[in-house]
Amino acid sequence: MTLIPATRRRVRRPQLEKETPLVAIAAARRVLEEASLFLGTPLPSRYAFRLAARAAVAFAQSDTFRRGFRHRADGGRERLYVYLRHWLADLLCGEAPALFAQLPRDFCTGAPLPEPLSVEARQLAGW
């Protein structure tokens, strides 16, 4: 029997979808859709894939990040939404600064967006 050296062994990384009932791509699409409705412009669907990939990597690499998903009820899901909003704000800041400027300041810390305003309400508000 040949032993594999420690440097060549594969380490199984924790996976978000296998260890929790959460599906990162579905959550990322929801956050992207909320932001698109709020901003009144469609955002590229590739953003959802980037956000989901970032969540998967963070879950696999960080014990602290993983620990946050062990909550009962909806705590883990809400925590995922907070991170996805934060990462989306970062993404928009770098790739679409004009859209980022339209977001509320607390979106950067993961707070949910307010309900989108109707076209008439935006006109009255001077948007």
Side-chain angles (χ1 to χ4, degrees):
M1 180 168 125
T2 305
L3 294 177
I4 299 173
T7 57
R8 291 185 49 206
R9 286 187 195 146
R10 290 191 180 180
V11 178
R12 187 182 109 25
R13 296 270 186 197
Q15 295 178 357
L16 181 67
E17 281 84 6
K18 289 189 177 185
E19 297 186 20
T20 68
L22 302 171
V23 179
I25 190 67
R29 285 180 178 147
R30 180 172 178 215
V31 168
L32 197 66
E33 182 180 322
E34 290 173 350
S36 293
L37 288 173
F38 181 82
L39 295 169
T41 184
L43 296 173
S45 61
R46 64 185 162 87
Y47 286 1
F49 292 103
R50 290 175 66 179
L51 294 173
R54 192 164 180 180
V57 168
F59 191 85
Q61 293 181 349
S62 172
D63 290 333
T64 306
F65 187 81
R66 265 192 311 279
R67 225 175 290 130
F69 292 93
R70 308 281 188 242
H71 295 291
R72 289 184 171 167
D74 297 334
R77 183 188 68 200
E78 292 306 315
R79 179 172 283 244
L80 179 60
Y81 284 138
V82 166
Y83 279 104
L84 291 171
R85 289 182 195 116
H86 172 68
W87 293 331
L88 178 58
D90 178 53
L91 194 58
L92 290 175
C93 182
E95 292 191 10
L99 292 175
F100 174 75
Q102 296 176 31
L103 293 170
R105 181 171 288 185
D106 60 351
F107 187 75
C108 294
T109 60
L113 290 168
E115 291 295 318
L117 295 175
S118 65
V119 174
E120 296 82 19
R122 286 180 184 227
Q123 289 172 348
L124 288 174
W127 290 14

